[in-house]
């Protein structure tokens, strides 16, 4: 089981500092496995292998390099961010990224939203994340594992400003459409789940772990 920790809006730089501490606590055995749920003010983050051409040409938002997997993405109000700080050495063998994808898909199903994962063809940009059946991207995933402990995690679009994603190349995926629970709900004539409902559904599946 993971412990759930609900936070409010945390500036990205502050979250990075705090996450480093959370991971060190876990490596030292001073804290249990934890799932942190929060939001960020608007920011674009990018991994160390992100080509400069993928980033915005104008500094309209803060750009922050990060030590996680994945490439450039946007964080802002209307997203649910989940950071997993888990000691993999104390758990059975598992592909943590695939487990995260499948757990998030199950959480979305509880909310009445159909979603899928996609395998990445050889030589293609990574398709890690959670997608609609028509291949619009709903959740971005980028993780780091150091000393057997995970950090970073996922960004689930509930009702963010999707136009932000059109001003740079998100996740190295040229031409991919980012979507949100708001857009899916409006297309299906359904009510938008509240952030509280999304947090609860996500936590219900992720805090089970995989052991």
């Amino acid at each position: 089981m993971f412990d759930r920790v609900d936070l409010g809006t945390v500036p990205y730089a502050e979250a990075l500092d705090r996450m480093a501490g959370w991971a060190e606590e876990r490596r030292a055995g001073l804290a249990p496995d934890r799932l942190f749920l929060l939001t960020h003010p608007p920011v674009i983050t990018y991994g160390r292998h992100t080509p400069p051409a993928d980033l915005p040409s104008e500094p309209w938002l803060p750009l922050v390099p990060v030590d996680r997997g994945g490439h450039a993405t946007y964080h802002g109000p209307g997203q649910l961010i989940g950071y997993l700080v888990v000691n993999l050495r104390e758990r059975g063998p598992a592909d943590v990224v695939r487990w995260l994808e499948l757990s998030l898909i199950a959480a979305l199903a509880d909310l009445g939203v159909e979603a899928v994962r996609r395998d990445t063809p050889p030589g293609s940009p990574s398709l890690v994340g959670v997608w609609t059946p028509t291949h619009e991207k709903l959740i971005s995933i980028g993780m780091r594992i150091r000393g057997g402990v995970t950090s970073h995690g996922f960004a689930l679009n509930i009702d963010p400003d999707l136009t932000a994603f059109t001003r740079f190349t998100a996740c190295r995926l040229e031409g991919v459409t980012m979507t949100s629970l708001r857009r899916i709900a409006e297309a299906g004539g359904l009510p938008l789940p509240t952030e509280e409902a999304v947090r609860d559904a996500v936590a219900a599946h992720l805090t089970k772990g995989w052991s």
Side-chain angles (χ1 to χ4, degrees), residues 43-141:
V43 64
I44 291 176
T45 68
Y46 60 97
R48 64 184 180 275
H49 298 302
T50 301
D54 283 2
L55 300 174
S57 58
E58 300 176 3
W60 55 283
L61 280 181
L63 293 173
V64 181
V66 292
D67 58 357
R68 56 158 172 77
H71 291 281
T73 194
Y74 165 79
H75 297 314
Q79 274 187 342
L80 175 62
I81 305 297
Y83 289 139
L84 279 165
V85 181
V86 176
N87 191 330
L88 298 179
R89 292 174 177 170
E90 296 182 2
R91 297 182 172 273
D95 180 337
V96 64
V97 173
R98 180 177 290 230
W99 165 81
L100 180 55
E101 290 174 322
L102 294 175
S103 297
L104 291 169
I105 288 168
L108 291 169
D110 288 351
L111 298 167
V113 176
E114 183 179 5
V116 300
R117 64 173 303 277
R118 299 173 67 187
D119 291 318
T120 303
S124 298
S126 174
L127 298 179
V128 165
V130 175
W131 304 74
T132 69
T134 56
H135 293 177
E136 294 180 326
K137 195 169 188 182
L138 179 60
I139 304 177
S140 299
I141 293 174

Side-chain angles (χ1 to χ4, degrees), residues 141-155:
I141 293 174
M143 301 190 73
R144 181 188 184 190
I145 301 173
R146 181 180 179 187
V149 172
T150 65
S151 57
H152 297 278
F154 65 89

